[in-house]
Amino acid sequence: MTEIRMEKSLGSRWEPATDKDKELAAAWKAGDIVVFQARKPRNGQHHKLMFALIGLVWQNLPEKYEGVITSKDSLLDELKFQVGHVDTHRTLGGKTVYKPQSIAFDAMDQAAFRVFFDDVVEVICKYFLPGIPAQQVKDEAYSMIDEGRNSGS
């Protein structure tokens, strides 16, 4: 499958977004039917912000969750469980099991990630950093990203 990024112009027309995309689109002839699957590309900074949040919670993990949440990966999985970002499976024996879904760039677009991120912030404020407003949690995560950028990492 060929992936081409399209940009909506002022005249409500869709145009190839880059020179490479223009080259790929040039292979289509007038009258060709082409199927597009629309998804807004992910914002890399927003993804970094998610992992800054994970780091923030990990650094401030309440004692009652020590031993339950044993790594940043298990923390991310728990957040996925809490917001319902899971696949459900019923085993042959009738047991329902859950598997966290991916948040990789190709697994969810920016619109879906924004909703996921906001839901995760609410879970963090409820269970891990109670009493701290959501905006303050986001601001602290932003500052962690900025510190990393300023320190050269």
Side-chain angles (χ1 to χ4, degrees):
M1 178 170 64
T2 302
E3 181 174 306
I4 297 178
R5 293 175 183 253
M6 303 293 279
E7 181 176 42
K8 192 168 186 182
S9 68
L10 290 176
S12 293
R13 292 181 40 193
W14 290 96
E15 303 287 339
T18 67
D19 289 340
K20 179 184 176 193
D21 296 326
K22 289 175 188 170
E23 286 178 31
L24 292 168
W28 302 326
K29 299 174 188 82
D32 282 352
I33 296 176
V34 180
V35 177
F36 290 92
Q37 183 180 25
R39 66 181 170 87
K40 191 170 183 178
R42 284 277 287 284
N43 177 322
Q45 283 299 104
H46 205 182
H47 194 79
K48 287 180 184 177
L49 186 62
M50 178 72 220
F51 286 93
L53 278 177
I54 298 292
L56 178 64
V57 172
W58 184 249
Q59 291 171 1
N60 297 283
L61 191 67
E63 277 186 41
K64 66 182 176 181
Y65 298 124
E66 290 177 10
V68 175
I69 296 175
T70 57
S71 67
K72 289 180 183 179
D73 286 339
S74 69
L75 172 58
L76 177 57
D77 283 347
E78 183 60 33
L79 292 169
K80 290 175 183 179
F81 284 123
Q82 290 299 318
V83 301
H85 192 67
V86 295
D87 288 323
T88 305
H89 174 76
R90 192 158 195 88
T91 68
L92 295 175
K95 182 178 179 183
T96 301
V97 294
Y98 303 94
K99 178 182 175 188
Q101 294 175 349
S102 174
I103 61 168
F105 279 70
D106 62 347
M108 62 188 334
D109 70 3
Q110 182 57 33
F113 189 75
R114 180 177 291 114
V115 171
F116 172 78
F117 179 86
D118 289 342
D119 290 348
V120 163
V121 170
E122 294 303 317
V123 168
I124 287 170
C125 290
K126 181 177 179 180
Y127 292 104
F128 299 103
L129 302 172
I132 300 177
Q135 190 57 53
Q136 187 176 342
V137 170
K138 290 178 186 179
D139 290 345
E140 181 62 27
Y142 275 115
S143 73
M144 292 170 74
I145 290 174
D146 290 340
E147 287 172 13
R149 187 180 307 137
N150 293 334
S151 69
S153 43

